[in-house]
Amino acid sequence: MWDIMKRVQLQMQISRFSGEDENHINKKLPKELLLRILSYLDVVSLCRCAQVSKLWNILALDGSNWQKIDLFDFQRDVEGPVIENISQRCGGFLRTLSLRGCESIGDGSIKTLAQSCANIEDLNLNKCKKITDQSCQALGRRCSKLQRINLDSCPSITDVSLKALSDGCPLLTHVNVSWCQSITENGVEALARGCPKLKSFICRGCKNVNDRAVTSIATHCPDLEVLNVQGCENLTDESISSLGASVRRLCVSGCPRLTDLSLCSLAARCPDLTTLQLAQCNMLTDAGFQALARSCRMLERMDLEECVLITDATLVHLAMGCPRLEKLTLSHCELITDYGIKQLSMSPCAAEHLTVLGLDNCPLVTDGALEHLVSCHNLQLIELYDCQMVTRNAIRKLRNHLPHIKVHAYFAPVTPPAAGAGSRPRYCRCCTII
C-alpha cells in the first residue's frame, strides 16, 4: 500500500511539471523510461540530476531509484538526519544500504530506517561505532526480510543483538560480527537456532567464541559455506570436527590450539574446500597436510604463515593432491627449502594456476628456488622479504622469463651509510617492487 501511494504522488508531481519545456528530453521520452534510466545511477549522479529541473528533482529523488545505496564512496561523515531522510524517502523500495564507516550514525537513525524500510535485505554497518543493541532490536522487530548484516567493528554489540536478529530475521544468510568482543557462545547459539539458512558467519577477533558456538553453527546451519573465526584463541579440534560438507571457505588463523586432528577432520568432512587459512596454527605438521591433500583437491587458496613445523614434505603433498592451487603463503615457514619449491614448480597447479607465492622469512630458500619457478608461467607475484639467500641477480633472471611478475623483496645495504653526529642510522623496510 505504501509503494502504491508513493507512486500516485509521483505521477501527480510529474504531471504538474512535465510541461516545463516542450523541446526538453522530458517530452521525448516517457517518464517511466526516464525513471528506468535514472535507476542505474549512483548516489552522486542522482543528486546532480536532481538539480537539473523541478521534474528531474522529482524523478531523481523518487524512492524507486534508491533501492541500492552505498555512502562509503560518497560521504562517510554523514549525520543521522541524512539517513533518516533517505529512509523516509525510499520507504519500502530500499533493499541494500551500506553505511560502512559512517561513525556518526546512532541508534535513532537505525530505528527510523527499520520503521520506514521494512523490505531492507542487505545492511552494512561496518565501523558504525555508536550503534548498540537497540539498533538490532529495532531491525529484529521490523525487518523480517533482512538477509545480510555486517556489524564488523561495532564494539557495543552484544549477545542481545544476535538474539534479536534470530527472533525477527529468520532469512539471514550472512552475518559479520568481527571485533564485537562481547559476543559469546550464547548469542551465537541463539543466532544459529533462529537462522537455519545461514551461509556465512564471520566473527574475527571475538575471543569469547568457543567450541560450543562453532558447533551450534555447524549443527543448526546445514548450508554453511563460509566460516571465519580468526583470532578465536579458545577453539580446539572439537570445533573443526563439527563442520559439514557444505563448507567452502574456512579461516582459523590465529587459533593456536588446533592440531593435525583438525586437518584430518577437514579431509574427512569438507572435501570441497576452496580456501583454507591457517596462519599462526603452529602445531600443524606434515602428517596433517598429507591427509588434507589426499581429500581436498579443490583447494585454491592456502595461507600457512607461521606453520613453523611444516617441511618440504607438505609441499610435496600439496603438489600431488591440490592441482587447482592459485595462492599459497609460506611466510615464516623456516624449514622450507629449494627442494620443496622444486616439487611445487613441477606440479599441475604450478603449470596452470599458481599466481601468488609468499616466501617471506624462509631463510633456507636460495636462488635455486627462483630457477625452478621459471616454469610457473602464470605466476604474478612472489614475496621474498628477508630471504637472505636470494640475490638481485636471481630476481633479474626470473623477470627475464616472467616479465610481468611482481617481486616484493628487501635487500639491506652492503655498507651502512655513515651516521651523522648524534643520529642513528635508519634502514627503510618498506615494500619495494623490483
Side-chain angles (χ1 to χ4, degrees):
M1 180 61 71
W2 173 260
D3 294 346
I4 295 175
M5 292 176 61
K6 294 281 286 185
R7 181 61 59 201
V8 171
Q9 292 175 356
L10 175 65
Q11 290 298 334
M12 292 174 63
Q13 290 175 310
I14 288 175
S15 299
R16 181 181 175 187
F17 294 110
S18 59
E20 286 180 333
D21 187 347
E22 293 295 326
N23 296 318
H24 199 274
I25 190 175
N26 303 341
K27 284 293 183 180
K28 304 297 183 182
L29 295 177
K31 304 307 176 292
E32 293 78 11
L33 183 54
L34 285 173
L35 272 174
R36 180 70 172 176
I37 293 172
L38 292 174
S39 70
Y40 291 98
L41 301 182
D42 58 24
V43 173
V44 176
S45 300
L46 283 171
C47 291
R48 289 173 178 168
C49 288
Q51 301 175 51
V52 172
S53 68
K54 293 178 179 179
L55 177 60
W56 276 43
N57 182 274
I58 295 170
L59 295 172
L61 298 183
D62 180 60
S64 64
N65 292 324
W66 296 69
Q67 297 182 38
K68 184 176 182 179
I69 304 173
D70 187 345
L71 295 181
F72 184 77
D73 294 323
F74 173 56
Q75 187 178 355
R76 270 165 274 181
D77 57 349
V78 295
E79 300 292 336
V82 174
I83 304 305
E84 293 163 20
N85 290 337
I86 289 176
S87 301
Q88 292 167 355
R89 179 191 308 136
C90 297
F93 290 110
L94 188 62
R95 297 293 188 275
T96 300
L97 175 63
S98 176
L99 302 177
R100 180 167 57 115
C102 297
E103 297 189 9
S104 298
I105 301 303
D107 291 329
S109 300
I110 304 304
K111 289 179 181 179
T112 301
L113 171 73
Q115 185 172 7
S116 302
C117 306
N119 293 323
I120 188 80
E121 297 174 356
D122 187 340
L123 181 59
N124 188 341
L125 299 174
N126 184 7
K127 294 185 179 179
C128 295
K129 297 182 179 180
K130 289 186 177 181
I131 70 167
T132 71
D133 293 328
Q134 294 183 33
S135 290
C136 290
Q137 288 174 319
L139 293 168
R141 285 192 298 267
R142 302 272 188 170
C143 302
S144 61
K145 297 182 181 179
L146 192 63
Q147 298 177 24
R148 307 170 67 101
I149 187 166
N150 187 340
L151 297 166
D152 189 337
S153 302
C154 297
S156 297
I157 294 299
T158 73
D159 289 339
V160 174
S161 288
L162 295 189
K163 181 64 167 62
L165 293 172
S166 69
D167 290 340
C169 306
L171 302 181
L172 275 172
T173 58
H174 295 73
V175 174
N176 187 340
V177 290
S178 296
W179 309 109
C180 299
Q181 298 196 21
S182 296
I183 296 295
T184 73
E185 72 273 11
N186 295 325
V188 177
E189 185 173 11
L191 181 73
R193 291 181 180 277
C195 303
K197 295 185 178 181
L198 206 62
K199 293 183 178 181
S200 172
F201 183 66
I202 302 174
C203 60
R204 294 176 299 126
C206 295
K207 296 184 181 298
N208 293 319
V209 169
N210 57 19
D211 289 336
R212 176 182 154 196
V214 174
T215 301
S216 295
I217 290 285
T219 301
H220 299 290
C221 305
D223 297 327
L224 186 71
E225 297 178 359
V226 179
L227 178 64
N228 189 328
V229 288
Q230 177 182 344
C232 298
E233 299 174 351
N234 293 321
L235 295 183
T236 71
D237 297 327
E238 180 184 343
S239 294
I240 309 306
S241 66
S242 69
L243 299 179
S246 61
V247 175
R248 300 291 185 273
R249 290 182 286 166
L250 176 64
C251 177
V252 290
S253 295
C255 298
R257 300 176 66 182
L258 301 184
T259 72
D260 286 343
L261 290 177
S262 288
L263 297 183
C264 293
S265 295
L266 291 175
R269 300 176 63 88
C270 306
D272 294 329
L273 269 177
T274 60
T275 299
L276 181 58
Q277 295 172 277
L278 299 163
Q280 300 172 353
C281 296
N282 50 27
M283 295 178 66
L284 305 180
T285 73
D286 296 330
F289 286 101
Q290 181 178 19
L292 185 78
R294 284 175 177 171
S295 299
C296 299
R297 299 182 59 82
M298 307 295 287
L299 279 167
E300 298 174 356
R301 301 184 178 193
M302 294 187 70
D303 184 355
L304 308 184
E305 181 174 353
E306 293 188 38
C307 291
V308 294
L309 298 182
I310 65 172
T311 71
D312 292 335
T314 286
L315 295 188
V316 172
H317 300 318
L318 295 180
M320 292 173 26
C322 302
R324 300 190 178 201
L325 208 55
E326 298 176 6
K327 297 183 178 181
L328 178 62
T329 300
L330 298 167
S331 301
H332 293 273
C333 296
E334 297 185 355
L335 301 180
I336 298 297
T337 73
D338 295 349
Y339 176 77
I341 304 303
K342 178 181 179 181
Q343 300 305 308
L344 187 66
S345 69
M346 295 189 297
S347 67
C349 72
E352 300 179 16
H353 300 290
L354 191 65
T355 59
V356 176
L357 181 61
L359 295 172
D360 300 339
N361 293 277
C362 292
L364 301 182
V365 169
T366 74
D367 289 351
L370 272 61
E371 293 176 7
H372 298 311
L373 291 174
V374 298
S375 61
C376 302
H377 303 297
N378 292 315
L379 197 60
Q380 299 174 10
L381 171 64
I382 183 170
E383 297 182 337
L384 296 165
Y385 297 117
D386 290 314
C387 291
Q388 301 295 331
M389 302 294 288
V390 175
T391 67
R392 285 190 174 90
N393 188 49
I395 292 175
R396 292 192 188 98
K397 290 181 178 179
L398 179 65
R399 296 198 66 184
N400 287 336
H401 289 89
L402 305 174
H404 300 297
I405 193 173
K406 291 182 179 180
V407 181
H408 291 182
Y410 167 79
F411 293 94
V414 176
T415 303
S423 64
R424 298 174 59 189
R426 299 178 64 187
Y427 305 104
C428 176
R429 299 299 300 268
C430 298
C431 301
T432 303
I433 301 179
I434 298 177

